[in-house]
């Protein structure tokens, strides 16, 4: 039996909800690291036990940034659904294969034009 592809709006909305929840957790974790570092006078730059607080903050900041970008891409995908342009390659105007959209629901280009 062939499984029917999920409704694009359902798929995009589900991934958007997950990304928003992840962003909330990442921001809370970042705030916790900042708060912990304010209360400590530890010299974490020379701590042989692991990564520095600065390194952890930088990693979280990068993850927050990429998650924020993903949320924006998913919101734009919802706009394309609303305007009837979802699933159309922005370069050649051909349909984006359903399998690609299933894996990358915010895709704006077909496989041939993906960068």
């Amino acid at each position: 039996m062939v499984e029917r592809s999920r409704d694009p709006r359902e798929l995009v909305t589900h991934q958007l909800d997950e990304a928003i929840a992840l962003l909330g957790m990442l921001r809370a974790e970042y705030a916790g690291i900042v708060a912990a570092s304010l209360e400590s006078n530890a010299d974490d730059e020379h701590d042989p036990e692991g990564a520095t607080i600065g390194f952890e903050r930088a990693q979280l900041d990068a993850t927050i940034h990429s998650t924020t970008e993903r949320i924006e891409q998913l919101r734009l995908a919802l706009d394309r659904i609303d305007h009837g342009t979802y699933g159309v390659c922005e370069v050649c105007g051909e349909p984006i294969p359903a399998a690609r959209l299933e894996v990358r629901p915010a895709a704006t280009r077909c496989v041939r034009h993906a960068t």
Side-chain angles (χ1 to χ4, degrees):
M1 180 169 88
V2 176
E3 184 176 322
R4 185 176 67 85
S5 294
R6 288 171 60 177
D7 173 55
R9 178 173 298 284
E10 176 187 322
L11 182 62
V12 172
T13 301
H14 175 74
Q15 288 201 6
L16 179 59
D17 291 344
E18 285 183 343
I20 290 170
L22 175 62
L23 183 61
M25 290 186 300
L26 291 169
R27 286 182 172 159
E29 187 174 344
Y30 186 89
I33 288 174
V34 171
S37 68
L38 292 176
E39 297 171 2
S40 172
N41 63 357
D43 180 12
D44 74 329
E45 294 297 323
H46 299 95
D47 181 5
E49 297 298 317
T52 66
I53 292 172
F55 177 77
E56 289 178 11
R57 275 197 321 231
Q59 278 194 313
L60 269 174
D61 189 49
T63 306
I64 288 168
H65 179 74
S66 66
T67 303
T68 302
E69 285 182 359
R70 174 122 177 95
I71 288 168
E72 180 60 24
Q73 291 169 357
L74 290 165
R75 286 182 173 151
L76 290 171
L78 285 174
D79 287 345
R80 289 192 302 278
I81 291 169
D82 291 341
H83 292 96
T85 58
Y86 181 78
V88 177
C89 177
E90 67 183 7
V91 175
C92 66
E94 294 294 319
I96 299 171
R100 176 167 171 74
L101 291 170
E102 189 76 24
V103 174
R104 300 182 64 90
T108 60
R109 295 178 178 202
C110 65
V111 175
R112 186 176 69 177
H113 293 109
T115 54

